[in-house]
Amino acid sequence: LCTMPTVIKSFTFNAFQENTYVVYDDRTRQAVIVDAGCYEPAEQQALTQFVEQENLTITALLATHSHVDHVLGNAFVKKTFGVPLLQHTTDA
């Protein structure tokens, strides 16, 4: 059972209407981004603005799978937040 106060913020990005999530601990402000689908500059700005507004520290980028709609923002997130991409070895 998870006892930390976890918050989940969802975004719907790109033409595929993919769901990207920011999951964070409300106390420590540490967060992960799950399935970075942010492709357009406005989408990237919305994600970055949320992270800054909530004073979050992004610690990783998680990929549930590597369909195109789920990976469109991987390079942006890795570069912007300086985090590793974590994914299953079969999707690597």
Side-chain angles (χ1 to χ4, degrees):
L1 181 64
C2 182
T3 59
M4 69 179 188
T6 303
V7 179
I8 301 172
K9 168 67 174 169
S10 65
F11 295 89
T12 303
F13 288 143
N14 69 53
F16 296 102
Q17 298 293 289
E18 180 272 343
N19 294 309
T20 294
Y21 301 95
V22 179
V23 181
Y24 63 97
D25 182 315
D26 197 31
R27 292 178 297 200
T28 67
R29 313 311 286 173
Q30 291 190 334
V32 296
I33 295 174
V34 181
D35 292 337
C38 51
Y39 179 70
E40 299 292 335
E43 297 170 340
Q44 296 168 350
Q45 182 180 15
L47 180 63
T48 303
Q49 188 174 32
F50 176 78
V51 168
E52 291 172 354
Q53 172 186 323
E54 294 299 319
N55 196 31
L56 301 176
T57 300
I58 305 301
T59 61
L61 168 59
L62 308 177
T64 60
H65 61 286
S66 295
H67 288 168
V68 67
D69 56 327
H70 288 251
V71 302
L72 289 170
N74 282 358
F76 170 78
V77 169
K78 286 176 60 177
K79 180 180 178 184
T80 301
F81 301 107
V83 295
L85 169 62
L86 305 175
Q87 62 185 1
H88 192 275
T89 54
T90 58
D91 272 336

